[in-house]
Amino acid sequence: MTNSSISLVQNLGAPAANTAAAAGLLKVLIAAQATGIAVELVNTDKATSGSKLPFWVVLSSPQTTLYDANAVVRFLYKTGSLPLAERISLEQHLEWEEKTLSGLDADSHMEEILAAADARVVWLGNSGAAAAVFFGALYFALSNAKPAALGAFPALQQWYTGQLESPAVTAALPVYSANVIKVLVREEPSLANRNVNSDVEFTYDPAKKVLPVEGQNNILITSALPYVNNVPHLGNIIGSTLSADVFARYSRARGNNTLFICGTDEYGTATETK
């Protein structure tokens, strides 16, 4: 018995694009397009369904429900009928995607994701169950990767470009985009990706002395000592060094010759060490 259509029930509304639910949605849409199966998207009320799962797929023949995206992909591609060696190889890659790749988020593991995927695309090919699963899992990271970062992995970049041109992906992406909430990758802050005005940034050079300059606005800023009598927290600096530092950065940004100095509270330090 075969299915000419399936029902994809979205239980918790549109998922964010950087979630496993969104990746699963894309996997199912690509697999359905590739195998000629129509997908009916159905929204349900969480209070009515009583389920916390983001979505599930209802098959008409046989009458059953699948809750895992990779299980749906396996069903649509009929991977159970593959030769044993080919099926074992496929399952090994899908297991790696389920256990390893799906646990990495693009916000803080972008380079790790790209490197891991680059090592596997040679085996994936441009069609089949594995390609659908991996494209769905990687799409958010690949579509948000900076060109230079993706260009460092030419095999992965070539595979990704080929996938974008495939009929199944071309047909699936508009439906996917209309049913997810778009989000941006938030990179882990580092010295390499920060966006700071160098004129405002404070850099300490012990060999450089800030002295008054005739004819300029010379600004001297001092602050109260950050009194700490327990574990340091934000409140210790809000009323002292933080406000002074903000004003010092503002003063430098205005082009003033600015010196900001402070001291230390040895009593508080002694208390903390005890």
Side-chain angles (χ1 to χ4, degrees), residues 15-16 29-31 41 55 72 76 89 110 127 133 162 167 188 197 210 224 236 249 259 264 270-271:
L29 292 173
I30 293 173
L41 293 174
F55 69 86
V72 178
L76 294 177
S89 180
M110 177 66 79
S127 61
V133 167
E188 193 73 20
N197 184 341
V210 180
N236 297 126
R249 292 171 189 270
L259 174 62
T264 59
T271 302

Side-chain angles (χ1 to χ4, degrees), residues 12-217:
L12 304 180
N18 62 339
T19 62
L25 174 64
L26 185 54
K27 294 175 185 179
V28 173
L29 292 173
I30 293 173
Q33 288 290 340
T35 56
I37 303 298
V39 178
E40 178 189 10
L41 293 174
V42 180
N43 291 310
T44 187
D45 184 359
K46 178 183 176 183
T48 302
S49 71
S51 173
K52 295 182 179 180
L53 294 174
F55 69 86
W56 55 82
V57 170
V58 179
L59 311 176
S60 58
S61 179
Q63 185 65 44
T64 189
T65 302
L66 299 177
Y67 296 93
D68 177 72
N70 285 7
V72 178
V73 173
R74 289 180 176 96
F75 175 83
L76 294 177
Y77 278 98
K78 298 180 174 60
T79 60
S81 62
L82 293 174
L84 182 59
E86 186 176 345
R87 184 179 180 185
I88 291 175
S89 180
L90 170 65
E91 290 300 328
Q92 288 175 338
H93 284 81
L94 296 189
E95 182 179 10
W96 179 83
E97 184 273 335
E98 293 166 351
K99 290 185 175 181
T100 303
L101 184 59
S102 62
L104 301 176
D105 64 274
D107 290 337
S108 54
H109 298 93
M110 177 66 79
E111 187 173 351
E112 186 178 349
I113 291 173
L114 298 180
D118 186 68
R120 296 198 175 240
V121 293
V122 175
W123 178 88
L124 290 178
N126 291 322
S127 61
V133 167
F134 273 76
F135 185 86
L138 292 167
Y139 178 68
F140 178 75
L142 295 179
S143 61
N144 285 281
K146 294 181 178 179
L150 186 55
F153 303 96
L156 177 61
Q157 186 176 39
Q158 183 179 2
W159 177 82
Y160 176 57
T161 302
Q163 286 293 295
L164 290 175
E165 296 172 351
S166 70
V169 172
T170 301
L173 281 178
V175 182
Y176 164 82
S177 298
N179 287 277
V180 299
I181 300 173
K182 296 178 176 61
V183 296
L184 299 176
V185 170
R186 295 183 178 182
E187 296 181 286
E188 193 73 20
S190 68
L191 293 177
N193 63 26
R194 63 181 179 161
N195 185 16
V196 177
N197 184 341
S198 59
D199 294 330
V200 182
E201 178 184 12
F202 174 73
T203 56
Y204 175 68
D205 182 358
K208 180 181 178 181
K209 294 184 178 180
V210 180
L211 300 174
V213 178
E214 187 175 354
Q216 292 190 13
N217 288 330

